[in-house]
Amino acid sequence: MGKVAVAFASAAVVAACSVAAVMVRRRVKSRRKWRTVVEILKEFEEGCDAPVGRLRQVVDAMAVEMHAGLASEGGSKLKMLLTYVHDLPNGTEKGTYYALHLGGTYFRILRVHLGGERSYLDVQDVERHPIPSHLMNSTSEVVLFNFLAFSLERFIQKEGNESNSQGVKRELAFTFSFPVKHTCISSGVLIKWTKGFEISEMVGKDIAECLQGALNRRGLDIHVAALVNDTVGALSLGYYHDPDTVVAVVFGTGSNACYLERTDAIIKCQGLLTTSGSMVVNMEWGNFWSSHLPRTAYDIDLDAESSNPNDMGFEKMIAGLYLGDIVRRVILRMSQESDIFGPSSSVFSQPYVLRTNSVSAMHEDDTPELQEVARILKDLGVSDVPLKVRKLMVKICDVVTRRAGRLAAAGIAGILKKIGRDGGGGITSGRSRGEMQMQRRTVVGVEGGLYMKYTMFREYMEEALVEILGEEVSQYVVVKAMEDGSSIGSALLVASSLQS
């Protein structure tokens, strides 16, 4: 009997040792996989690093490209498009005007009433609607513009006869957030689509005519009086409230910037005359590129698999459409080289499954257990994620957003350098020594959901702008948020152009 007991005891010891050995091997394997994940994160973080020295190289490259784009057509990645907007609203405008804004994922309609004083600007009946995805890739522009005209008709019907009792034709600003080559303030042809739109037959067509045709087909007494880029609309509203506003930037689904340039600096249009001696230039800065931009393998893959490869490189590093997908790509690689997300990790193989609004929510989750991160992952089908993995997710979001904010600041500083508002005099010819040395108050209007709703992006951008410019110069640079600025400002431009 004693021998049997000894045998059982020996077997138990062997089994326990075997179980312990398995557990040790699993623990070692788990630690090895976690080290792999940490190494991937470290590599990514180093690839995204944007110290102030590097940012200043981006600033210089931006200013040089702007100068080249003004010198000749095709001379730069920046198109530097003329807008034919040279008289910005000054507060004396009166009347009721409408704006229709076609942007990235939403379109807006609003009515603005002006009373002839800067303090009297009444924005009425703002409507915001998602753009049906099938319209973004339709085979015909008629479908898209018929839908916009129908939406505008419903908007007009809701107001009754109150704002048009005398039967006066309604004047409309069409805010169009895509590259357009203007021939005047109310006309321009589409150069290319961005932000996921792809209606190929529209390229080269006059956008204002397309909308006017759709309005006419519905029998609407509405005149498309201005075709306005969203950045130009934001600049218009900024200038209306504060004449020191000379730059406007949009950070939303996509990103772009415009600024007020002296006409004698627009070399590719020599002899261009304006009453103000200046004109708003639409940079289309999404296409900016420089070897100094901190690009990673994930950016390269995103670009290659996008609908517009080798195009809009700067936008793909700073705009809301893409930030979530960069985060997704990093997570996907981690899950492929480890099992930190378990069998549910296949969800991260789907392009754009992780939206930037989710990145924002995870990044700014301040609950002790990161419950918002857990909720978002659960909504994606990934449950029971350990806290340390949730913390890893937040870190990835931080790296992506910090780079985006700092590069956005470099872009703004590049514009300030070009026009001599960076404390160094700029690179524009013709400035006197006195102008170069004197620092003036400069207002930069900023609009877009990424900037307005993503606090960490906004803080990283503004922090980096101070770093680049320095404390002394940055105190003269004011960054102002422009809620619905592009739409309201476009309506103001219609009023200004009709009354000038």
Side-chain angles (χ1 to χ4, degrees):
M1 188 70 181
K3 291 182 180 180
V4 173
V6 169
F8 272 117
S10 298
V13 170
V14 170
C17 289
S18 298
V19 170
V22 170
M23 292 178 67
V24 169
R25 283 197 297 272
R26 285 179 178 174
R27 195 173 293 119
V28 170
K29 186 177 180 181
S30 176
R31 287 174 179 170
R32 189 181 299 123
K33 287 182 177 179
W34 185 253
R35 281 198 299 270
T36 299
V37 167
V38 172
E39 287 169 3
I40 291 172
L41 175 62
K42 182 180 178 182
E43 177 189 43
F44 179 60
E45 194 169 8
E46 290 173 350
C48 289
D49 192 30
V52 68
R54 188 169 197 170
L55 293 179
R56 286 180 176 141
Q57 290 176 314
V58 174
V59 169
D60 292 342
M62 178 69 80
V64 168
E65 286 294 309
M66 290 173 69
H67 191 73
L70 291 174
S72 63
E73 292 290 353
S76 165
K77 280 277 191 180
L78 299 176
K79 294 189 180 299
M80 306 301 285
L81 300 171
L82 304 187
T83 63
Y84 293 89
V85 173
H86 46 82
D87 290 314
L88 290 165
N90 57 23
T92 62
E93 295 80 12
K94 295 181 180 180
T96 299
Y97 304 90
Y98 298 78
L100 168 65
H101 181 185
L102 179 64
T105 53
Y106 289 84
F107 72 95
R108 288 191 292 273
I109 306 173
L110 57 81
R111 183 173 71 244
V112 175
H113 184 69
L114 305 171
E117 298 177 6
R118 274 198 168 91
S119 60
Y120 191 89
L121 191 162
D122 185 17
V123 181
Q124 306 166 336
D125 301 331
V126 180
E127 288 190 3
R128 186 172 183 262
H129 304 282
I131 301 170
S133 57
H134 71 278
L135 297 181
M136 299 169 66
N137 297 280
S138 171
T139 56
S140 171
E141 89 275 1
V142 174
V143 179
L144 172 63
F145 284 96
N146 280 351
F147 172 76
L148 294 176
F150 172 70
S151 301
L152 191 56
E153 182 179 32
R154 287 196 305 175
F155 180 88
I156 297 297
Q157 287 172 346
K158 289 178 184 178
E159 69 182 12
N161 296 322
E162 180 182 344
S163 62
N164 198 34
S165 57
Q166 297 179 357
V168 178
K169 182 186 290 287
R170 292 176 171 90
E171 299 292 346
L172 173 74
F174 185 20
T175 314
F176 189 72
S177 305
F178 304 90
V180 167
K181 185 177 179 63
H182 279 267
T183 52
C184 64
I185 191 174
S186 60
S187 179
V189 299
L190 176 66
I191 296 174
K192 65 179 179 181
W193 286 109
T194 56
K195 306 181 187 73
F197 277 76
E198 189 58 46
I199 308 173
S200 57
E201 73 169 34
M202 275 196 65
V203 174
K205 289 190 176 181
D206 190 308
I207 300 302
E209 284 186 4
C210 290
L211 178 59
Q212 189 66 67
L215 296 173
N216 293 344
R217 285 193 294 274
R218 298 203 71 84
L220 298 175
D221 195 16
I222 301 174
H223 173 231
V224 182
L227 179 63
V228 185
N229 184 265
D230 53 352
T231 59
V232 180
L235 178 60
S236 171
L237 180 63
Y239 190 90
Y240 180 86
H241 288 299
D242 189 336
D244 285 335
T245 306
V246 293
V247 179
V249 191
V250 171
F251 297 109
T253 305
S255 183
N256 191 20
C258 74
Y259 72 105
L260 198 58
E261 179 62 274
R262 293 177 9 253
T263 50
D264 62 358
I266 307 175
I267 302 171
K268 62 185 178 183
C269 290
Q270 284 291 349
L272 185 66
L273 298 176
T274 64
T275 54
S276 64
S278 60
M279 180 177 288
V280 178
V281 174
N282 169 17
M283 292 174 60
E284 289 299 331
W285 82 353
N287 206 37
F288 168 70
W289 187 251
S290 166
S291 60
H292 299 300
L293 291 172
R295 198 184 197 199
T296 68
Y298 307 99
D299 300 299
I300 294 170
D301 290 344
L302 182 150
D303 177 62
E305 296 168 20
S306 69
S307 60
N308 55 341
N310 300 314
D311 196 20
M312 309 301 286
F314 189 52
E315 180 173 89
K316 288 171 181 172
M317 299 174 82
I318 65 172
L321 179 61
Y322 305 102
L323 299 188
D325 206 57
I326 298 171
V327 172
R328 177 194 69 83
R329 289 171 183 275
V330 178
I331 295 170
L332 178 62
R333 184 185 166 196
M334 289 178 172
S335 64
Q336 289 172 338
E337 299 195 18
S338 71
D339 58 356
I340 59 172
F341 292 103
S344 302
S345 62
S346 60
V347 69
F348 296 114
S349 297
Q350 302 173 37
Y352 299 97
V353 70
L354 187 61
R355 302 287 184 174
T356 298
N357 59 350
S358 296
V359 169
S360 171
M362 290 191 293
H363 191 187
E364 297 175 352
D365 184 359
D366 58 2
T367 60
E369 298 296 313
L370 297 178
Q371 295 162 352
E372 184 65 13
V373 176
R375 183 194 66 76
I376 290 169
L377 290 174
K378 186 177 180 180
D379 288 347
L380 290 172
V382 184
S383 302
D384 303 321
V385 178
L387 180 59
K388 71 173 185 178
V389 177
R390 300 201 293 273
K391 289 181 178 179
L392 177 74
M393 292 283 293
V394 173
K395 180 61 177 178
I396 297 168
C397 295
D398 183 71
V399 172
V400 171
T401 303
R402 185 173 189 270
R403 181 186 68 169
R406 291 178 71 80
L407 291 180
I412 292 172
I415 301 173
L416 300 181
K417 182 179 180 67
K418 168 65 180 67
I419 61 177
R421 301 290 187 101
D422 68 331
I427 63 171
T428 304
S429 60
R431 294 190 184 275
S432 69
R433 184 178 299 275
E435 286 179 303
M436 291 183 186
Q437 293 174 347
M438 183 176 64
Q439 187 65 34
R440 297 173 55 189
R441 180 176 181 271
T442 300
V443 177
V444 179
V446 184
E447 192 198 18
L450 186 64
Y451 179 83
M452 303 293 290
K453 298 177 183 178
Y454 197 163
T455 303
M456 292 303 297
F457 172 85
R458 182 169 65 249
E459 290 181 356
Y460 278 139
M461 188 198 86
E462 292 174 355
E463 174 188 84
L465 193 57
V466 173
E467 281 184 52
I468 295 167
L469 298 175
E471 293 285 349
E472 185 177 345
V473 174
S474 62
Q475 64 181 317
Y476 293 97
V477 177
V478 180
V479 177
K480 283 188 177 182
M482 299 289 170
E483 186 75 41
D484 270 329
S486 53
S487 304
I488 300 169
S490 297
L492 291 173
L493 278 176
V494 170
S496 177
S497 65
L498 292 177
Q499 296 176 28
S500 61

